Structure formats: structure tokens, C-alpha cells
Amino acid sequence: MSATQTFFAGLLILIVFFWYFATDSARRRRILGTVLTLLIIALSLEAFWPEKVIKQEGTGPDVPEVSTTSKTPSKPQYTRQSKINLGLDLQGGTSFLIRLEKETGRENTKQVLDQAVEVIRKRVDKFGVSEPVITPEGTDRILVQIPGLDAEKIADAREQLKKVAKLEFRLVHPDTDRLIPAIEAGQAPIPPGYRIETMEDTRNGQPVEEKLLIHSKADIEGKYVSRGSLTYDQKGYGVSIQFTSEGGALFGELTQKHVGERFAILLDGKIQSAPSIREPIWGGSASITGHFTQKEAQNLANVLENPLSVPVVIEEERSASSTLGGDAIRSGIYAGLGGLALVVVLVALYYRLAGLVAILALIVNVIILLGIMGMFNFVLTLPGIAGIILTIGLAVDANVLIFERLREELTAGKPFPAAIQGAYSKAFTVIFDANVTTLITAAILFWYAAGPVKGFSITLIVGVIASVFTAMIVGRNFFDWGISSFGLKGVHMHHLISDKMNIDFLGKRHLWIGISIAVMVASIATFAYRGEKNFGIDFKGGDLLVLQANPDVTEHQVRAELEKIGLNPVIQKEKGVAGGDFIRIRSEMNTADKIEQHLLTAMPNAGFAEHQRDHVGTLVGGELARNSAIALGLGILGILLYVTARFEFSFAIGAVVALLHDVIITVGVFSMVGAWTGRELSLVMVGAILTIAGYSINDTIVVYDRIREGLHSGRKGTIQEIMNASINETLSRTLITSTLTFLSVAALFFFGGATLNDFALAILIGVVVGTYSSIFIASPIVLWSSRRSGVDLKDLKKKGESPAVDA
């Protein structure tokens, strides 16, 4: 579909959407709702459904054939190609985060950054890869993503990207042979404007060094070089340099004035050659000769053709093989199908016919999510798959809220059409508030996240928006058609919690809070005791190397070999989803090459093959820790302001305390598990912690909404009694939603592969702790805060409730 067609399709959907809410006719609304749903499904399917393309096959050289019969041309073979862009962790490839270093007396301006981007782009193009991504990050960094590089090309890319290639031409002092010995003997000073440099050379097969007195500043800079190319003659490999017109004139003038003298050719401050000027060199060309290998000369030619004048440092490197990416995709599919199956079975058994409506809405939700991913060219990463799986659990929550309201309306004796109207109208406020708070944390995660985790925040944001649409419009439309066309008179649902149950949660609040304080203290103590052992390379810097190995290779064997070279890294063995054994090695910075080379030499029969490599500098790790703290702080601030605006400050205090309670205990329990299993906090865990914060506040908002309704409905009893009643009324929904989310994430834990195992574990802990805090912590804190501040919650003006919405 072209951009024009997509635009008009979107415009038509927008018109139908507003018409749906503007019309008063129930029949017209049903039709518009159906048309709207079908249009969005069709557009979404077109946006992500794999397109049919001709399968590309390699062709060999044309060889003449002798045949007595005519040959029928073969039919083209077709294959399906996904329209959703895959991240490097799914398709395989390497990403580099490059930082431009500051030179004394020189600022890295936007012009310098843009020039560096173009230089790096030209260097990457030399590898012949398709669709590399080279983008500036901030004011002094460049992100380079190169799909489909093998291990040898990755090493070449690493060298090419960080090679500065600062080319300079400097005159050698005409009396250098006499002055150098005198200067070293202390009998003569270094002439002003000169300095001593050493040139390394080889003569008669023996390395020799020559000290030269050269100009301190360049006589001609490398920016005047327009081209560098590989040459070969009787002297061996060399590099031909072509100057720009201005550079050729400058070089000609320089050589004309200094015939008989020498000039040094320096690359990155190192003298490559120091030829004598026998005659003026005009024409704009010169050559560098030396004792180069073919590869050295080719690399030199590449960087000279694209000179990068600013020193750079590779701060972060992440690579994954296509095999590992395929394994990740399979694990994501298995986890998604497993989570979906568990949720579908439970919802269908518990809510019966209404559950089937929720399942259909969930399917539409997933279609819309994938459609938006394809339409807007969002990149799907491995954490993004986790976001989709998490969305499966969260998407059902809106339907659960509606169904629990529907149960109450039917219990009150209302006819089914009126009960549907009342359930959707009353559920809208809590669905709106709960999902906005989740969007706040997801948006902050998107703002501060980097790399694959940003993909997680995108799928979470899109999934939350799609879930609200499918619950309020798609699900409602199914019920409306059932009532009008099929005479649907009601639905039957199981009831987990009896209406007569009245647990005194607040009466034992001191016990619950005491238990939480004890667990929080234990969590903080464990985290503090482990110290740096809590953090993986994403936070403290270092190398991660993942090697595929034969099944009989053990962690002990690998550890014993690495101890021989003085290394004691963290080593874990794990199974791939599609089979195969992997050795995961976390080590100190810049040790991955040494480790891999030693293991390949010392254990040649182990079947080692590199599948993933990560390198994170200490500066990047420190920034990640700082940005994670800022993101969490901004999330807390945003939630505090929103809950205050929609409820009251006492409610905001309770929500923030519950949120901090959940985050502290989750991280603490993860640290306890890590002490036993070797798990560490990583980049993906930042997303997990913010997700837990969003889930925690989502759960709490549901309870708050019912408390607010009870306070403003004139219900008899004390504030504590009203709060208790509200918690009991939402208990069924809380347990059902938590169970569904837990099951979907449990599928991710068991089938999602090693990369997402830690993420899933943290979410599982967070779901349990978040459910506990929404029942036992948030409301007692609201009660305590209101009493301490002297606020009578019953006297508050009705605040934050949205008007009834006839969806």
C-alpha cells in the first residue's frame, strides 16, 4: 500500500471513529463500530502481513551448454518477507556506539559530528552490507548498526570504525642528522617549531629506528586528500594519494621550495615514511611506500579516502549471530503461543461467553499492535517480543474490569442491555486512569531507554492503547450485536470471591506493613552486601561472550582453562530453545578476544563458535545507572502528579509508597536469587523495573477508583470500613488479572530463552509483590496520610471522575 493510500485509509478510519461517538442511534453505532473494527484489522493486516517476493538465488558463471533440445525456463521461486523491521538481536548483526573524543582547544561541533557520520557511513559501505544504520546520538556519539557480519568482518569493522586516519605532511629539519645527536647529548636545544619523532622501518629484514626532527605543526593536512587507493609495484604494496586541487597546489609549492630536503608523512601521529624531495611534485598525486602487507595497505587506503580527523572510542559493542537471532525468534513465538494459550483457556473457563468476547478482542489487539509496528516502521527487538507477551496479560485486564462491573449490574437486578451500558460506563474511568499511569512509565522508558529496550517500550505503549480500544469498542460491539440480532439475554460467569466476603484488611494493617518493612530491610541489606556483584556489564562495564559448544563441555572445564591465563570471569552454561549448548562468559573489559583465542587454542575439540559479543565501557555503564535512576524518579514524579490530580494527595502518597515498596522488594529478591544463581542486573532489567512500577500503579488505581466511588456515593460507615469494602469488591478482579499476567509472563520465563529469563523472573516477582501492595499497603498508607494531614476524605469534592461514556 502506497503512502497516499495509507493516508486516505487512516483519514477514513478517523472519520468513522468520530462518527461512532457522535451518533445517537444504537443501530448506526453497531454498524459504525463493525466497519471501524474491520477497517483497522484490514489496514493492520496489510501493514504487517509478509509480502510475496521472488527468492534470490546465487548464480554462477555463464558456461556454454550443448543441447539438442530447447530448455524450458524455470519458474521463479517465491518466498515470504516480513514487513516488520527486526532488531539486530533477532536478525543477527553488530552495533557500535562510538564517542568522539575532545581534543585540547577544539570543540566537537555539530559540523564535526555530521562529518564523522558521513565518514563512518562510507567506511561501512565498504563491507557491502544491506541497510546499515548510522545515526548521531546526542552531541558526541554515533550509533552504527550493521546487520549480517561474520566474526572476521566484525573485527575488521571494529578497527575501521575507530581508526582516526589523521594524515599530515611535515617537513624534516634540513640539518636533522647533525642536530639529533647534539640534542640527545644535551649540547643543543630543540629548534623552535620542531619536535623529535621516531620512524620505524625494516632494512635487510631487520627492524630499524630513525629519529627525525620534524615540524611541530602540519605543513599540509589530510583534509586536502581526496582519494586513497591500493598500489603494488616492485617495492611491494603501497598507497597512492590523490590531492584536491587546492591540496595539489599546496603540495606543489611545498616541494618546490624544499627540493633536496625530506618531508615526513604521518598517520595518526606516527611517521609512515620520510622521502626526500628530489624535484617539485605537481599534478596532485603522491604515494606512500613501506613494508605493508596487502591488508595493511588496503585498510590504510580506505581510511585515507575517508579521513576522520577526530579521535573516537568504541564505548559499546553488541553483536549477535543470525543463529542466535533465529533462536530468539523461535523462543519468542513459543513463549507468545504458550502465554496466549494459558490466558485463553483460563478466561474462557471462568467467564464463558463473555470470555470468548475477551479472547476475540485480544486477537484484534495483537493484530493492531503488529499492524502499527509494521506501518510506522518500528523495530521489533527481543525485549519488544517480551512487551507483546506482557501486553497479552495486561490487555485482558480491561475486559476483566468490565466483566466484574457487569456482574455487579446483573446482581443489582438490571436487564442485560442496561447492565452492559452501566458496566462499560462505570469501567471507563478506572480503565482510563490505570492505563494512563502505565503509559507514563512506558513513555519515560522510551525517552531514556537505549537499544533493544526502546523496542520494549514501543510495544508496551502501542499494546496499552490497542487494549483500551479493543475492550471499549470491539468487545462492546460484540455484545450489542448479540443483544440486537441474537436475543442475548445475559451471560453466566464463575465467581471467585463471594459477595458476602468482608475481610478486614485495614484492621491488620500494622501486621502487613510490618511484614513489608522486614522484607524491604532484608532486600536492601542483601543488595548492599552483594555490592557490585549485583550489576552486569551494562552497568559497570566489561565484556560478554557467548559461545556455542559441544554438549560435553562443562563450566568447570572452561573456568579451569581461563584461570591459566589469570582470568576468573562469571561462566554460565545454558540451553538454546532450538537445541544447542551455549557458554556465557562475563569478564573484565577488553578481555573477550583473549578469552576466545585461548579457548579455541586450548580446547580445539569443544566445537566453540561465537554467537554473541557485548562490550560496554565504564562511561556508558555509569550513564545507564544514572539514567535509570532519573527515569525511575521521573516516573514517580509523573505518577505523583497524575494521581494527585485525579484523586487526592493522600492517594498519591499511598501509590508512590506502594510503588517504591514493589521496586525495592523486587530488586532485593532478584539480588537474593542472583547470589545463588549468578544473575545480574542488566539493560533489560531497567525495562523490567519500570514495567513493575507501571503494573504496581495500575493495580493500585483500580482499588483507588472503587474507594473514590464509595466515598462519594454516600455509602454508610467509617472511611476505614468503606476502604475495606472497596478492597473486597475489587479482590476478584485483582486476583484474576494478576493470575493472567503471571501466567503469560511465566510462559516467557520458561520458553523465552536465556536472554529474557532474568526479565521474566523480575516481572514474576513484581506481579506477586504488586498484587500484595495494592491490597495490603496502598490503602493503609492513604488512611494514615489523610489522618495525619487532617483531611476528611468524605468531605472532598468529587474529583477525577470522568463522565459516563457510552462506548
Side-chain angles (χ1 to χ4, degrees):
M1 183 179 286
S2 66
T4 303
Q5 291 172 322
T6 302
F7 170 78
F8 282 108
L11 185 62
L12 177 61
I13 288 173
L14 196 62
I15 292 171
V16 175
F17 181 81
F18 283 111
W19 192 4
Y20 174 86
F21 283 101
T23 185
D24 294 326
S25 169
R27 180 175 178 276
R28 189 180 297 121
R29 176 169 292 182
R30 289 195 302 273
I31 295 173
L32 289 173
T34 304
V35 171
L36 178 64
T37 302
L38 293 177
L39 281 174
I40 291 177
I41 290 175
L43 186 61
S44 298
L45 287 173
E46 199 283 331
F48 81 84
W49 198 261
E51 58 185 344
K52 191 176 182 180
V53 296
I54 297 177
K55 186 176 182 180
Q56 299 294 325
E57 295 182 356
T59 57
D62 294 330
V63 179
E65 290 186 1
V66 179
S67 176
T68 56
T69 59
S70 61
K71 190 173 182 179
T72 304
S74 60
K75 293 183 179 180
Q77 295 183 346
Y78 292 92
T79 185
R80 290 284 178 180
Q81 179 175 311
S82 173
K83 294 181 182 178
I84 297 179
N85 297 322
L86 299 180
L88 294 182
D89 54 352
L90 294 181
Q91 65 171 315
T94 305
S95 70
F96 300 92
L97 183 63
I98 303 171
R99 178 171 58 85
L100 277 62
E101 290 190 319
K102 287 187 178 181
E103 292 184 302
T104 305
R106 180 175 181 177
E107 289 292 327
N108 289 332
T109 62
K110 184 179 184 300
Q111 183 179 1
V112 172
L113 182 66
D114 292 342
Q115 188 262 349
V117 169
E118 289 306 312
V119 167
I120 290 173
R121 190 184 309 279
K122 291 178 182 178
R123 292 187 185 178
V124 171
D125 288 343
K126 296 284 185 179
F127 292 100
V129 296
S130 61
E131 299 183 358
V133 177
I134 300 103
T135 57
E137 295 273 321
T139 59
D140 63 347
R141 286 182 176 148
I142 301 170
L143 177 65
V144 182
Q145 295 180 319
I146 312 174
L149 288 183
D150 57 30
E152 183 178 352
K153 285 187 176 181
I154 290 172
D156 288 342
R158 189 183 304 120
E159 292 303 315
Q160 289 293 310
L161 290 175
K162 68 182 181 182
K163 192 73 172 177
V164 179
K166 189 173 184 178
L167 180 67
E168 298 171 317
F169 299 87
R170 304 190 188 192
L171 286 170
V172 179
H173 196 287
D175 207 12
T176 188
D177 292 336
R178 182 185 63 82
L179 286 175
I180 290 290
I183 292 170
E184 290 182 337
Q187 299 173 356
I190 297 177
Y194 285 87
R195 73 183 192 195
I196 299 175
E197 291 289 346
T198 301
M199 179 177 68
E200 298 177 355
D201 201 353
T202 304
R203 294 174 185 171
N204 300 322
Q206 298 296 323
V208 295
E209 292 184 351
E210 181 183 5
K211 292 185 178 180
L212 300 174
L213 196 60
I214 65 174
H215 271 166
S216 300
K217 294 184 179 180
D219 293 283
I220 297 179
E221 296 180 350
K223 65 181 181 181
Y224 295 110
V225 175
S226 63
R227 183 174 179 79
S229 58
L230 176 71
T231 62
Y232 183 80
D233 55 23
Q234 65 272 18
K235 296 180 181 179
Y237 289 100
V239 177
S240 173
I241 303 175
Q242 186 71 38
F243 290 97
T244 62
S245 57
E246 184 180 0
L250 291 173
F251 192 68
E253 292 176 3
L254 179 72
T255 54
Q256 187 174 31
K257 291 179 182 178
H258 299 277
V259 172
E261 298 179 18
R262 300 171 69 185
F263 70 91
I265 303 173
L266 286 82
L267 185 66
D268 297 336
K270 184 177 180 180
I271 299 177
Q272 302 294 318
S273 180
S276 298
I277 304 173
R278 301 187 183 278
E279 58 183 359
I281 303 175
W282 297 96
S285 63
S287 62
I288 302 177
T289 58
H291 302 278
F292 296 118
T293 64
Q294 181 180 3
K295 184 176 181 180
E296 289 171 343
Q298 183 63 66
N299 288 343
L300 176 59
N302 289 343
V303 294
L304 289 180
E305 187 170 353
N306 307 297
L308 185 60
S309 59
V310 182
V312 297
V313 174
I314 295 178
E315 287 194 328
E316 183 179 86
E317 177 186 341
R318 299 181 186 276
S319 64
S321 68
S322 57
T323 303
L324 199 65
D327 191 73
I329 293 175
R330 281 189 292 272
S331 67
I333 292 173
Y334 295 158
L337 292 176
L340 183 62
L342 290 171
V343 170
V344 164
V345 170
L346 186 60
V347 169
L349 290 176
Y350 188 80
Y351 287 111
R352 301 183 183 180
L353 179 61
L356 294 178
V357 171
I359 292 167
L360 292 173
L362 177 60
I363 293 172
V364 175
N365 178 82
V366 174
I367 291 173
I368 294 174
L369 194 158
L370 295 176
I372 293 176
M373 294 286 293
M375 192 180 306
F376 293 98
N377 292 319
F378 291 139
V379 177
L380 180 63
T381 62
L382 188 55
I385 293 178
I388 294 174
I389 296 168
L390 183 61
T391 300
I392 292 174
L394 296 177
V396 181
D397 181 46
N399 288 284
V400 172
L401 287 167
I402 293 167
F403 296 162
E404 292 300 314
R405 283 288 190 176
L406 177 60
R407 186 201 309 279
E408 294 174 6
E409 297 292 303
L410 292 172
T411 303
K414 290 185 178 181
F416 190 62
I420 288 288
Q421 170 67 29
Y424 275 88
S425 296
K426 290 180 179 179
F428 176 78
T429 300
V430 64
I431 291 173
F432 179 83
D433 285 333
N435 284 283
V436 165
T437 51
T438 302
L439 286 174
I440 288 173
T441 57
I444 291 171
L445 182 60
F446 175 80
W447 183 20
Y448 269 91
V453 179
K454 184 166 286 190
F456 168 76
S457 64
I458 289 172
T459 56
L460 189 59
I461 291 171
V462 174
V464 167
I465 296 172
S467 67
V468 174
F469 169 79
T470 54
M472 297 302 297
I473 294 181
V474 177
R476 172 68 185 272
N477 219 41
F478 280 122
F479 281 120
D480 285 346
W481 279 112
I483 293 170
S484 63
S485 301
F486 299 98
L488 185 63
K489 301 297 183 181
V491 291
H492 298 282
M493 298 177 275
H494 290 289
H495 201 175
L496 182 65
I497 305 296
S498 171
D499 294 329
K500 297 180 180 180
M501 180 175 289
N502 186 23
I503 302 173
D504 186 10
F505 293 105
L506 291 177
K508 297 182 176 59
R509 60 186 180 277
H510 297 103
L511 173 63
W512 311 132
I513 292 176
I515 293 173
S516 290
I517 291 174
V519 178
M520 288 173 68
V521 169
S523 298
I524 295 172
T526 302
F527 191 84
Y529 176 76
R530 293 195 69 212
E532 285 195 357
K533 293 181 179 179
N534 290 297
F535 301 102
I537 65 168
D538 291 327
F539 285 96
K540 62 184 181 182
D543 290 354
L544 169 66
L545 183 65
V546 179
L547 302 173
Q548 188 170 11
N550 293 333
D552 57 344
V553 176
T554 65
E555 298 173 28
H556 176 73
Q557 290 174 316
V558 175
R559 185 174 290 106
E561 285 297 333
L562 295 181
E563 285 176 352
K564 294 178 182 178
I565 56 174
L567 296 176
N568 187 28
V570 177
I571 303 172
Q572 291 177 299
K573 186 175 181 180
E574 55 197 34
K575 282 280 188 182
V577 175
D581 293 80
F582 295 90
I583 302 293
R584 182 178 292 263
I585 305 170
R586 298 182 185 90
S587 60
E588 296 179 358
M589 200 177 306
N590 300 320
T591 57
D593 284 334
K594 182 179 180 181
I595 289 172
E596 184 173 15
Q597 291 171 6
H598 179 75
L599 291 178
L600 290 175
T601 303
M603 304 175 67
N605 299 321
F608 287 130
E610 182 180 320
H611 275 257
Q612 182 181 349
R613 179 194 292 251
D614 292 351
H615 165 80
V616 181
T618 52
L619 183 61
V620 172
E623 287 184 357
L624 175 60
R626 184 168 59 254
N627 288 341
S628 300
I630 292 173
L632 183 60
L634 289 176
I636 292 173
L637 178 61
I639 289 168
L640 184 71
L641 295 175
Y642 184 81
V643 176
T644 300
R646 295 291 290 172
F647 294 87
E648 200 272 339
F649 187 67
S650 297
F651 286 85
I653 293 296
V656 170
V657 170
L659 185 154
L660 291 173
H661 165 276
D662 297 347
V663 170
I664 290 172
I665 292 180
T666 299
V667 174
V669 173
F670 187 89
S671 180
M672 295 176 192
V673 175
W676 177 45
T677 61
R679 297 177 187 270
E680 298 171 327
L681 296 176
S682 62
L683 176 63
V684 179
M685 285 295 296
V686 176
I689 291 170
L690 281 172
T691 302
I692 291 165
Y695 182 84
S696 170
I697 199 66
N698 184 301
D699 237 8
T700 303
I701 287 292
V702 173
V703 178
Y704 279 5
D705 180 78
R706 188 57 67 97
I707 293 174
R708 177 177 58 187
E709 181 182 322
L711 290 171
H712 298 308
S713 64
R715 180 182 291 180
K716 294 182 180 180
T718 64
I719 292 176
Q720 182 171 326
E721 290 171 343
I722 293 173
M723 285 185 168
N724 260 326
S726 299
I727 296 172
N728 278 279
E729 289 168 0
T730 57
L731 189 59
S732 178
R733 171 265 161 201
T734 300
L735 296 178
I736 292 170
T737 299
S738 298
T739 301
L740 293 173
T741 306
F742 188 92
L743 289 176
S744 60
V745 179
L748 184 64
F749 178 79
F750 288 108
F751 304 113
T755 305
L756 291 179
N757 192 261
D758 290 350
F759 174 89
L761 176 61
I763 297 293
L764 289 174
I765 298 169
V767 168
V768 175
V769 178
T771 303
Y772 174 88
S773 68
S774 66
I775 298 172
F776 298 103
I777 302 300
S779 297
I781 296 298
V782 174
L783 183 63
W784 170 82
S785 178
S786 63
R787 288 177 176 177
R788 186 174 178 81
S789 60
V791 176
D792 187 353
L793 297 178
K794 278 193 170 184
D795 294 334
L796 290 175
K797 180 182 177 182
K798 198 166 188 178
K799 186 179 184 182
E801 285 197 69
S802 301
V805 175
D806 186 12

